[in-house]
Amino acid sequence: HLLPSSQIYPIHLPRETRTRRALLICNIEFEHLSRRDGAEVDVEGMTKLLEGLGYVVDVHRDLTSQEMAVVMKDFANRKEHCTSDSTFLVFMSHGVRAGLCGTKSRGETTDILSLDTIYEKFNNKRCHALLGKPKVVIIQSCRGDKVGSVMVSDSDHPAVPAPSWAHTIPAALEDDAIFEVHLESDFATLHSSTPDTVSWRSPVTGSLFIQRLIEQFRHHACNSHLRELFRKVQYSFGKFPRQLPTQERTTMLRKFYLFPGH
């Protein structure tokens, strides 16, 4: 049965005029932590996947936590989001329970980008151009050093319906035009592992999570909505007890089809 269109994120613009942008930050070389061998394979694979989905990908490598925050802020301010319907935010690094390691990190407490920062930079207060539009967050990192049960590990040893105003940045609003929206909405996040556990990466073929994510999106993005794609990625780890990707902080109120009307 067909879903009522109000339950699906609108894709208003034809492909020719749509300006989908994606952000990919990957830290490979660190001052104090091990090199993330194989990560370049992940960057190439994700870039190719996102380009295939119609996104122009801004790729940044080897940033401190502060540099990551600046890059996110600049990306959130890109005018292309006004004529886009969604974005992908992809982060790959060493990680700890509290967040992602910058290139100067020495472990748990130094040069860590808190995951909260991602949501703050792209929430409805800070990023008007993406108001009411899907913001897909993909995070490849460890979140501690416990083994969900190891190859190489990456540890350190949603919204109001999108009415017409969602696609323009509001100028000075008249009193009668003021509306309230959720501070944070329309996010969907897939993390490579559960809290406190490691994520596995092969120096040759890249991260298991990114490999499987690319595979599932290639086969099913044409007809499955985003959270179903996430579930398929999780399901693909069913026979790999050491790691389980996790959907988190998801505030999508509708279904997001990358290719609606397939």
Side-chain angles (χ1 to χ4, degrees):
H1 63 284
L2 288 170
L3 278 171
S5 61
S6 61
Q7 296 284 304
I8 297 174
Y9 282 101
I11 309 288
H12 287 304
L13 296 162
R15 186 176 287 237
E16 307 75 57
T17 53
R18 200 187 290 156
T19 54
R20 284 180 169 174
R21 299 296 291 225
L23 175 65
L24 192 160
I25 295 176
C26 181
N27 288 343
I28 301 176
E29 304 272 3
F30 296 80
E31 290 186 15
H32 309 287
L33 308 177
S34 60
R35 187 175 194 278
R36 295 184 59 248
D37 292 320
E40 200 55 58
V41 180
D42 294 341
V43 173
E44 283 166 32
M46 274 308 291
T47 301
K48 197 181 283 185
L49 175 72
L50 290 168
E51 287 173 350
L53 296 172
Y55 294 85
V56 174
V57 189
D58 293 0
V59 180
H60 298 266
R61 291 176 179 79
D62 298 339
L63 304 178
T64 64
S65 56
Q66 207 166 359
E67 288 166 343
M68 287 193 265
V70 169
V71 161
M72 282 194 282
K73 185 181 178 184
D74 291 346
F75 183 76
N77 289 333
R78 292 200 79 112
K79 61 183 188 305
E80 289 91 342
H81 296 312
C82 296
T83 41
S84 175
D85 47 52
S86 54
T87 191
F88 274 72
L89 308 166
V90 183
F91 301 88
M92 307 173 180
S93 187
H94 284 305
V96 295
R97 183 71 163 87
L100 295 161
C101 296
T103 51
K104 295 182 185 302
S105 175
R106 290 175 181 271
E108 293 290 328
T109 54
T110 52
D111 197 21
I112 301 296
L113 178 81
S114 161
L115 297 184
D116 288 344
T117 308
I118 299 169
Y119 302 95
E120 285 160 9
K121 297 288 183 200
F122 293 94
N123 69 19
N124 293 329
K125 183 177 180 182
R126 296 272 182 87
C127 188
H128 289 176
L130 288 171
L131 179 64
K133 303 174 186 181
K135 294 166 275 283
V136 183
V137 182
I138 306 287
I139 302 172
Q140 162 61 42
S141 76
C142 281
R143 314 177 68 179
D145 52 12
K146 294 190 174 61
V147 173
S149 139
V150 249
M151 307 190 299
V152 177
S153 90
D154 260 356
S155 82
D156 61 330
H157 320 191
V160 290
S164 56
W165 46 256
H167 304 282
T168 57
I169 295 181
L173 295 171
E174 301 296 338
D175 284 353
D176 61 358
I178 286 176
F179 49 87
E180 279 192 80
V181 296
H182 297 106
L183 176 62
E184 180 178 313
S185 63
D186 310 290
F187 282 95
T189 304
L190 190 61
H191 210 302
S192 57
S193 59
T194 48
D196 297 317
T197 62
V198 295
S199 297
W200 298 106
R201 173 173 39 82
S202 153
V204 179
T205 55
S207 307
L208 210 51
F209 169 66
I210 297 295
Q211 283 173 52
R212 293 188 180 183
L213 183 143
I214 289 170
E215 193 179 311
Q216 295 303 322
F217 271 65
R218 285 220 171 109
H219 289 131
H220 303 291
C222 56
N223 56 17
S224 297
H225 64 88
L226 183 84
R227 296 200 64 190
E228 175 62 9
L229 292 171
F230 280 5
R231 188 196 63 75
K232 288 178 189 294
V233 176
Q234 291 176 292
Y235 184 79
S236 76
F237 278 80
K239 294 187 168 60
F240 186 75
R242 298 173 178 183
Q243 179 179 341
L244 183 61
T246 313
Q247 295 191 48
E248 292 182 7
R249 202 150 170 173
T250 294
T251 49
M252 281 203 173
L253 304 185
R254 308 168 177 210
K255 297 194 172 182
F256 176 34
Y257 288 92
L258 286 146
F259 299 100
H262 50 84

